[in-house]
Every structure is written in structure tokens, then in C-alpha cells.
């Protein structure tokens, strides 16, 4: 398998620009794929590295500088992603102060198709008060969604499968580490097959400590038009549905249907358990458009990612008209809440945790219908259990 | 009008070095003007972009990387600006932690002739305590003078007027934006006419949200020697004068006269209302030297910038011997204080707010005398109302 | 003395790459020394400047971007330094948020052989609560070990002595400055003689304010294997020994002997006063390996650096198996504690403070034995006074 290492701090290696096509490898290609890497300039994107992978029909960009998140994608003319109020991204972490606005600084850089939230913690910011021996107190703020989305990759490589269909893989390693703290290496492999409608993200989280460690990871996949529009629907094999708070509670009766863009529109988050295949534990969730001829599908294993959050933010088009399909190890509550409910992953000494998510893009009515049938088949395991207000152990009862 | 776009993140355009003179445009010029742009290196200025505009007699530098502030200027041999304790600037925002020292981090980068303060808030840092449903509390610090001075421009262009006198304009766009927060685009045009003693800064603040938004903007114009010296005077058509706090209160009787540099010297801030022209609402403020043969004049519209602060910090020469002439939408109190007194600008959906300040440099006695006459004419509307201690609604009463 | 200025922001000078050898200067050299400077790329080291000095037998790297700290060294095949959990360093300050994790953000960048802690304050983070006139409160966090290790040098030069043995000196200036705050320039000279086993760091801290200022400086010298191993010993002429807290208290009886790497192993800090030469005030401390044929020696003046901390952190090899030999002006308690005990340096107007530390590497049994004799000679001044628990005025009593 031809491999090209683009960055490796351990060996003092870094390549600013890179481009490869089948012709460069003397491969015959039914799909004119390419991989290109460069450094962006100007404004808050100054110095951000970007990799653009085009598999011939599906194109997407990866941001090594932002923890190997995905910036934007495109499939047969349809944009994959959303319009953040941030329009000068991808934003270099040097311009993001995670501690600003009471720990909400993460939002200063948030404009991605996929932003990972973790690894030491994810979810809402929270503050811990410590009483000191001398009677004074200290306050520690743990910011929204953790650090991983703002740490640049220490290692970056491009792999091309030797045999047809010549799968393309971008590998990246990101360390979240400090003395006396978390020391987890995320090794991600982002793959796509030329000509396909899907990309697979396989993350391995390796505990580099010699003692047990904790992990929280949430995949903040975000979609706007054309998949999101008035009448779009969320489709998934729901086992349990819980509104996160009062704002979501009001919409519980029609949570699966989307409104059109609405200036000042609501933010609503729902916590879900999904049914999964009995044999393989695999499950899925789809966002489909009103007509049912376009959709994005998220596939993953419930064994790896048992929690799922549906984030609806149907604000005005420029304010954030977006929905998040977010498989995760835990619900995005403050970590102490999750830990008390046994939803924080324990990594053994030298142990690791693997999580894989697949994004699939649908562009025809039959494709959408086929996924709806898949969901129905899983739903046959039992009707959704719908809670009309926040309940334990999913959310804080109000 | 010949235009040169130097940066535009929306179109992935960025030019590292740029220089233009009349000869490049085949223009005949009575004044040998030039515009040059480059990137600075070393220390805390690494990566800072700087534009130097020389109109033939007035020269000034613009810092796109620091929110289109002005770094330093020069006019007929006189320095315009001040000596900050920071002598390795202009400082890249990556080296400024706005949250440090209880929200005073802004000072780690403050060395400019003009630093804007805003846009979500400006003024003194303040902390908001929130009681959570579970009984815990969270504390959010809003830092001194907001974020805009530490956000790099997303768009940068140089325009040269087609017809004599070939006005030179530097245009820059800076976004202060985040999901669920402020989303204002500042579009600034900094202009000067070759051979003139003035520059005009016209800022348009566009609310890109589809819902109403709030704005605070303060123009922190700062001057040291030779305009500031022992016996220098502040000259303006004063309607109301209020000391900000006890420190200023003591000096209220001679607030308009400056002392020489004094190690450990005082900081005093005065809040003012100025008289303005009945027809056009325009007003002005001047700092003139002792002899009355040098001065800097700030001209603006009271309709746009109704508040004015005079900042006196007559410390030692290396500690900060400086005065600020600061027209603004609000007084630099914590935002909740200003909001309660209706001094926070409301931007309608898609609405915008324009503020223009003109800096004029005077180099002769007649020029200074002429401005003093202008001030006197406006002062004729009424004698200054001088409060000897902080009073509502300007400042917190003590 | 041939000098090469590599950076000088005051004169807009910066050189990206530099290399020099004796041949370049037409010097005959018994030791093939060299000095090289370059910029690192990739991950969190993007943009970090690094100088590698090789004196022929002793090699070490300096990080101008991280306050002129030392990154790593090597002597006759032995590594000098330690294995931090951070393995993608040296870390650019833009990726270090000193305010994160309740003021422990410093640890996000800590992987150095020598990191200075200071200058406004050093030691454990602490929070100051201020009651405001309006009844509200503000909290200011002062982060662990201050700012100096995360400020890039404003001036950088290489000097080579004209006469044999052609001493090599790297000079760097780092400013810690802000309006109304500290304004100290650290002028460091890091020197080594070709072929020698030592390097000398001479720092001058100049108060650029025109009023008195305060200074705290601690030299966080850190060593791992092969000097640190099971059975390694700390050797110094101890006058007073105090455990910092309960964790250290338990180990007081065998504080000078090191355990092997132990996953989850303890962190223990001891505060010491050392005996010093009656005439010159000079003293020393050594870490020697089990066999007594390798050692690192820290030499300094007790008059300059009266406090000494021994930091033992014998965790797993990848978690941080490391010990710190830390001469300093004060103990690394929160600054208010130190100030109340008169251990904060007062700098007069324009005054300065000099501190020099010498690192010496020993590679044979006789060298180690000779240093042990030196220590014994000083120890003859009196037996160590060992406190079995934290006592005033060194540490907070528990």
C-alpha cells in the first residue's frame, strides 16, 4: 500500500504541500480521485492545514490542525455541512480561547461538519469549587466539549490501497496530554473508496498512561441544507427518547420533524437510545429531506457508541440552521453527572477504545426508502419509549 | 478606482507582501505617497501583518491581525502614539490570553495608537455569577475591552481614488462571531488624502444575525509625547464632566491640564458629554502641547458616538505616559451597568451602525488656535456642568 | 568577539535559519562545535524556534519561543532531560492556555530540561477573591508557574569568544510586560566552552518600570534516566529540610533515595535550605545514579537563589519519571504566602537581579566522588535539620 507521511513530529518531518492522483501512482482509475494538502492563509485561518479528499463523487476536507475534524463535504452537487455564523474558518486554535465566556470559547471555532468532543471530558461546561485548607476557595472551569477539536495532529499520512478499488485513507494522530492529567492518543483513519457515497472514520483512543484513564468522546456531526429543510425528518430505530431540558420537552411530540429556518429559532437537544442489530450491535440514524430523495446516514456500533444525541438548532440561515447527529460514549452532560451514571469509559493501563462512524450520502428516493426499511426492521424490536420530560438516568430531572 | 485585494478568506485569497506608489499606477503625484504591506517576524510579533500608509506627510501603520487597529503614526517628524511598556509589539493575538489576570489579559497586547474596544462588550472586566438548578454556581468573566482588537481581518483591500487627489483607502472586515452569540461584521475604511494632515476611520458594524443584536464600541485613541507633555491641555466643548471614581475625583479641579511623566503616576478617567453642532451633530476634542503649537484633534459625530472618556495615565515614560481620547457609544463601565442606562446600541435584524472618527494633526500655532476657536464656539451653548464626584447615570456613585 | 544577531524586534530583524561551525570563522577547534537555529514544523511545535548548541561533547537545545528554556541535552551518549507525557513538543505557546484547568494550563506545554517559573509569580495556582463596591465579587486566578516559559524572546544572538577556548554564548531577551503590571526584561546568557561538561545560565532581570517591582524566579531543572533510576540519590549540603505537604511527609525518612518508575507513583516535594561556601556563598546539589558513575550537578549562589526545592515524581516511564532540582528566589507556594514571609524579590526603580545556575554533567565514578566530597565539606557546617512535617516559614502547616 503506497503511503505518504506528511507530518511526523517524532521524526521531525513535515510537508507543506502535497497532491496525488491515480496518474501519479500509475493506477488506472474509474473515478478521478485526488488527495491534496495545503496550508490556508489569512484571517483566523492563517496556518491551518487542510486536506481535501475527492473520491470522484464524494469530496470532503479534513483539518489536521483542528484535531482531524471534517470541515466540509460535497456529494454530486450537494453540500454536506452547514453554515455556521463563523464564516472565516476553519479557525486556527490559536484564535480560540476555550476558557472564554465561562468555558464556551469552543464556539469561537465551531463551524465543522464533524467536530469531535472530548477526550478528558465533553458536554456542557461545568465548574468545580474546591475548598482549600486555608479557608479560601478555588474554582475550576471545564469548558464545553473539551480540547480535542483544537489540538493539531502530530502525525499525518495518506495511504492508497494497492488493489482496486484503491481505498484512500488519511491517518492522523492527535495527543491530548499533560503531566498529572489525561494522556490519550487518538489514532484516526478516515477512509473512502473511490466512487463511493461513504466515508468511514475509525478512531482508536490509546491510553498512553501506565495507569487507568477516563475517556469521553462524542461525534458532533452537523448538517444543514439541502438535507435539512422544512419537513426534513430524523429517522432512527428509537428505543428510548428523552428531552434534555424544558426547551426540548415542549417539542417532544414532533421532535423528528424539522421546521424551516427561523430567526431566533429554538435549540433543542434529545437524548436517545437506539435499537441495534442483535448480532452485530450495529445501528444507524438518518436525516432525510422533505421529499425523501436526499439523506445523510450515520452508521455505528452501539457497543462502541451507546449514547446518541439529536441536536436541533433551527435558527435563521445565517445564525445556524443546523442539526447534529451525535453518537457518543456518553450524553453531553457535565462529566461528574455522567461518571455517577457509569457512562465514562475506563481505559486500562495501555488499553484502547475503538469507535467507528460511517457517513453515507443518499441522493435518490430508493436509497432513502431502503434506509427507512432498515430502520423499520430494527424498530421491530420494540416501540420507542418516549419520556415527555427529562428523566434519570439520561438527564437531570427538572 | 484601482483596488487591490490583499486578503479574502471567502475566496481563499491572501497576499503576503504588497507595495504601491503613484508611479506603479502611472499617476502624477504632488506627494510621494505609498502603501506597503508585509508580515512581521520574531518574538510576540511573529506573523503579524502590518500595512504602512504614507500620504507624503502623514504616515501611519494598520494592524489587520489586531482587528484593524492603528499601531503608530508620524507627521512631519512628530511621532503619533505612545510608549507602551510593551515594546515588542504589535503583539500577535496568539500571545494574548484575554482571560488572564481576572480578565485583564487585553493589556498584554495593548500598545496601539488606536485600539477598538468591543463589540459584544467593552470597558472594565466583570463577572457574572449563575446559580445552577443543582445548587452549584458558575462564574463567567467578561474581559476588559472585549475581543475585537485581537481578531484578525478576514478581508483586506487597498483602494486608490481615480481622480486627484487620489484618496487612499484601506478596507478591512473583521468578524466577531460565534454560534448563539454576537455575530457582527465590522467593515472599516481607513482613508487619507495624499499631503493631508488627517485620516478618517469609518466603521460600519453590520449585524449578520437575523435577530436583533447588541453593540458596544469605544475608540481607544492614545497619545504620548510630543503632544503630551507637562502643561499639555485637553480642549473640548464640555457639556458634562464626571470623574469615573475617587482617583479621578481628586483631580477634577485641574483635569484638563497634564502633568509631566511621573514614575508611579496616577490613572484618572473622566466621563464627558460634549456639545455638538446644532445642525450636524459634529463635535471634537483636542490634545495640545504646552506651547500650543502642536496638537491632535479627534473629530466625530455625537449622534454616532455620544459618550466620551478622557483617560489620563501620566506615569513614568517607560511605564506609560499616555492619554486616551475615547469617543464611544457607551461609557466603559461593565456592560450590565451601561445596558441598564440604555447606552448599549441595539442593532436590528440585518441592521448596521456607522461610526466615524477623524484624526487630525496640527503642527503650528495658528492651527491650534483655530481649533480652540472652534471649541469655544461650541462651548457657547452652555458652561460645562462639572460633577465633583461620580454621579449617575454616568458612573457608579461611591 | 564575533556576534550574530538572529532576532531583534526593536530593529525589525529576524533570521529563520542559521548555522555556524569553527570552520565558518576560520578557527582551529580541538572540539567540533556548532550552533544551529531553525524553525520546527507540524503539530503543536509549528513555528517554534530551536537553537541546538553542540560544544563537541555536550549538546543542548534552547527554545527562544518558550522563554529561552532548554529543551533537551546529551552528553557522551547520555540523554539529559526527561520523558514528559507530552511527546509532540516543544509546544508553541499559542497551544498553551495558561488559564485552563483552574490555572494548571502550564502543564500542557511542560516537557523541558529547564523551564523557568516566574516572573510576576511562580508556584502553585491561587485565586484571589475581590469584593466589589456593588456587592458582587470577582475571582482572579494566578496560574501555575507564571508566564515567562511561554513568552518568546524579543532578541536573540550568538556570540563566539575571540580567544581560545572560544566560549559559545547564546543571548536572549524576554519581556514580561503589560500596562499597570510587571515590566521585567530577562536578559539571559547561556554559555558553554567547547569540549566542556558544563553550561552556565546567567539571567539578569531588569526592572524596566520607573517604580519598584516584584520578582519571583524558579529554575525548574528536570532529569530522568539514566541519571534517575532506582537507587539514584540526591546529594546536597542540607541545612534545613521540610516536606511541602502530607504526601512528602511520609517519605521524609528516605527522601534522598529514588525509587524506580512506578505507574501512578507519588509526587513529593521537599523544601530545602542548603549550606553554602562561607566566602563565596556558592552551593550545589547533585543527582547521581545508583552506581555512582553518572551525575548531574547544579551549582549556584545561595545569595542569588536562597530557596531550593526537590521535586520527585517517580511515576511510570511514560507518565513522568522525573526529578526536579529547583534553585529559586522563593519556595513555589502561592505568592501571597511567600510575600508575607519576605521571600519575594524587590526590584528598585531601574534595578536588576542576577541569578546564575551551572549545569555540570558527570560521567565517571571519580567525578561523582569528587562532588560528594565537595558536598561533605559544606555539610561540615552543621547537620541537616530535618522537619518531619510541613513547618513555617517554609510551608503551610497542616
Amino acid at each position: 500500500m503506497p503511503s505518504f507521511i506528511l507530518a511526523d513530529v517524532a521524526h521531525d518531518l513535515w510537508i507543506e504541500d502535497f497532491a496525488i492522483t491515480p496518474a501519479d501512482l500509475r493506477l488506472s482509475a474509474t473515478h478521478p480521485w485526488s488527495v491534496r494538502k495545503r496550508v490556508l492563509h489569512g484571517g483566523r485561518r492563517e496556518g491551518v492545514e487542510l486536506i481535501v479528499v475527492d473520491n470522484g463523487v464524494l469530496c470532503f476536507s479534513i483539518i489536521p490542525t483542528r484535531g482531524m475534524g471534517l470541515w466540509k463535504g460535497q456529494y454530486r452537487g450537494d453540500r454536506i455541512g452547514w453554515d455556521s455564523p463563523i464564516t472565516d474558518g476553519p479557525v486556527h486554535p490559536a484564535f480560540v480561547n476555550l476558557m472564554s465566556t465561562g468555558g464556551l470559547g469552543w464556539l469561537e471555532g465551531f463551524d465543522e461538519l464533524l467536530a469531535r468532543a472530548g477526550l478528558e471530558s465533553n458536554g456542557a461546561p461545568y465548574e468545580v469549587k474546591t475548598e482549600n485548607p486555608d479557608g479560601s476557595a478555588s474554582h475550576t472551569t471545564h469548558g464545553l466539549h473539551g480540547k480535542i477539536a483544537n489540538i493539531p495532529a502530530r502525525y499525518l499520512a495518506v495511504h492508497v490501497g494497492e488493489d482496486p478499488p484503491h481505498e484512500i485513507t488519511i491517518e492522523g494522530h492527535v495527543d491530548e496530554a499533560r503531566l498529572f492529567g489525561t494522556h490519550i492518543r487518538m489514532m484516526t483513519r478516515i477512509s473512502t473508496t473511490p466512487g463511493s457515497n461513504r466515508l468511514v472514520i475509525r478512531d482508536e483512543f490509546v491510553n498512553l498512561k501506565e495507569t487507568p484513564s477516563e475517556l469521553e468522546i462524542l461525534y458532533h456531526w452537523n448538517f444543514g441544507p439541502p438535507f435539512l429543510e422544512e419537513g426534513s425528518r430524523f429517522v432512527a430505530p428509537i428505543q428510548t427518547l428523552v428531552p434534555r431540558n424544558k426547551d426540548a420537552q415542549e417539542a417532544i411530540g414532533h421532535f423528528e420533524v424539522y421546521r424551516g429556518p427561523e430567526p431566533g429559532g429554538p435549540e433543542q437537544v434529545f437524548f436517545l437510545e437506539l435499537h441495534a442489530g442483535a448480532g452485530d450491535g450495529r445501528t444507524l440514524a438518518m436525516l432525510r429531506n422533505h421529499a425523501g430523495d436526499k439523506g445523510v446516514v450515520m452508521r455505528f456500533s452501539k457497543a462502541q457508541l451507546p449514547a446518541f444525541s439529536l441536536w436541533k438548532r433551527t435558527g435563521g440561515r445565517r445564525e445556524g440552521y443546523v442539526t447534529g447527529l451525535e453518537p457518543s460514549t456518553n450524553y453531553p452532560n457535565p462529566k461528574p453527572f455522567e461518571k455517577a451514571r457509569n457512562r465514562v469509559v475506563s481505559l486500562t493501563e495501555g488499553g484502547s477504545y475503538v469507535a467507528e462512524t460511517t457517513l453515507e450520502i443518499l441522493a435518490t428516493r430508493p436509497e432513502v426508502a431502503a434506509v427507512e426499511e432498515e430502520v423499520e426492521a430494527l424498530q421491530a424490536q420494540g416501540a420507542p419509549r418516549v419520556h415527555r420530560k427529562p428523566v434519570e438516568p439520561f438527564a437531570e430531572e427538572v
Side-chain angles (χ1 to χ4, degrees), chain A:
Chain A
M1 180 163 74
S3 285
F4 306 88
I5 303 176
L6 306 188
D8 183 0
V9 297
H11 297 92
D12 210 1
L13 186 157
W14 185 75
I15 290 170
E16 180 162 350
D17 294 300
F18 174 81
I20 196 165
T21 63
D24 297 320
L25 298 174
R26 298 168 190 266
L27 298 175
S28 63
T30 47
H31 297 279
W33 62 263
S34 64
V35 177
R36 285 171 295 131
K37 186 253 178 183
R38 65 198 177 96
V39 174
L40 304 179
H41 291 288
R44 298 199 302 156
R45 63 169 59 175
E46 179 66 40
V48 171
E49 300 185 64
L50 196 74
I51 299 178
V52 178
V53 178
D54 186 345
N55 82 8
V57 292
L58 172 64
C59 179
F60 56 94
S61 47
I62 300 168
I63 328 167
T65 308
R66 291 186 57 79
M68 296 297 291
L70 298 193
W71 191 41
K72 293 175 183 301
Q74 199 166 339
Y75 180 70
R76 298 190 186 279
D78 285 334
R79 182 269 308 266
I80 316 167
W82 62 296
D83 294 318
S84 168
I86 291 171
T87 59
D88 58 348
V91 180
H92 195 284
F95 296 112
V96 176
N97 188 334
L98 295 175
M99 288 295 99
S100 74
T101 327
L104 290 176
W106 193 84
L107 295 171
E108 295 171 2
F110 176 46
D111 73 343
E112 294 110 317
L113 164 60
L114 167 65
R116 289 179 192 80
L119 303 179
E120 185 176 334
S121 68
N122 62 31
Y126 64 100
E127 193 176 294
V128 174
K129 183 177 180 176
T130 310
E131 307 280 357
N132 301 321
D134 67 356
S136 69
S138 300
H139 301 78
T140 300
T141 297
H142 298 266
L144 173 69
H145 286 333
K147 295 177 185 159
I148 192 70
N150 286 279
I151 304 175
R154 52 173 289 133
Y155 178 89
L156 188 61
V158 177
H159 309 291
V160 180
E162 202 148 355
D163 302 316
H166 305 299
E167 189 184 46
I168 302 161
T169 300
I170 312 301
E171 181 180 357
H173 303 176
V174 184
D175 278 15
E176 186 174 313
R178 66 170 200 278
L179 193 69
F180 304 123
T182 295
H183 186 188
I184 297 175
R185 177 163 298 163
M186 180 181 84
M187 303 172 77
T188 185
R189 296 179 68 88
I190 305 173
S191 305
T192 191
T193 298
S196 80
N197 69 333
R198 67 166 65 186
L199 67 92
V200 179
I201 298 192
R202 181 191 187 276
D203 290 350
E204 183 174 359
F205 302 93
V206 183
N207 178 20
L208 295 181
K209 292 183 84 160
E210 294 161 274
T211 41
S213 197
E214 296 177 347
L215 167 73
E216 289 192 337
I217 180 72
L218 176 147
Y219 292 86
H220 213 302
W221 285 95
N222 309 294
F223 306 96
F227 301 98
L228 179 64
E229 61 182 359
E230 188 174 355
S232 283
R233 300 183 78 89
F234 172 75
V235 183
I238 300 173
Q239 189 175 355
T240 315
L241 172 70
V242 182
R244 180 181 64 168
N245 57 19
K246 289 207 170 185
D247 293 342
Q249 185 175 321
E250 299 165 12
I252 195 74
H254 46 89
F255 86 98
E256 80 282 13
V257 183
Y258 288 88
R259 303 202 286 206
E262 185 186 341
E267 183 196 23
Q268 293 153 344
V269 178
F270 302 91
F271 294 157
L272 291 89
E273 284 182 311
L274 301 183
H275 289 297
D280 58 5
R282 292 193 64 78
T283 187
L284 75 167
M286 172 169 68
L287 169 72
R288 44 149 282 193
N289 71 348
H290 179 64
D293 57 5
K294 288 181 198 295
V296 286
V297 183
M298 184 63 38
R299 296 179 182 274
F300 54 96
S301 154
K302 193 177 164 184
Q304 293 172 348
L305 299 167
F308 187 91
S309 301
L310 176 64
W311 176 55
K312 297 175 72 177
R313 208 278 151 148
T314 51
R317 286 192 181 276
R318 287 186 314 220
E319 284 174 335
Y321 178 61
V322 57
T323 190
L325 275 56
E326 309 174 5
S328 55
T329 55
N330 60 289
Y331 295 100
N333 298 302
K335 188 178 179 185
F337 185 92
E338 291 301 292
K339 194 167 176 183
R341 283 144 194 88
N342 290 312
R343 286 193 294 255
V344 173
V345 173
S346 280
L347 293 173
T348 59
E349 171 195 335
S352 71
Y353 194 85
V354 171
E356 198 179 287
T357 50
T358 296
L359 173 67
E360 211 172 273
I361 318 297
L362 312 181
T364 67
R365 195 174 305 265
E367 288 174 308
V368 171
V371 169
E372 284 175 331
E373 276 171 36
E374 266 191 86
V375 168
E376 270 171 45
L378 288 170
Q379 190 71 69
Q381 294 178 36
R385 178 167 180 172
V386 178
H387 296 275
R388 305 197 72 82
K389 46 184 211 168
V391 292
E392 288 277 6
F394 303 97
E396 195 176 357
E397 301 191 352
V398 288

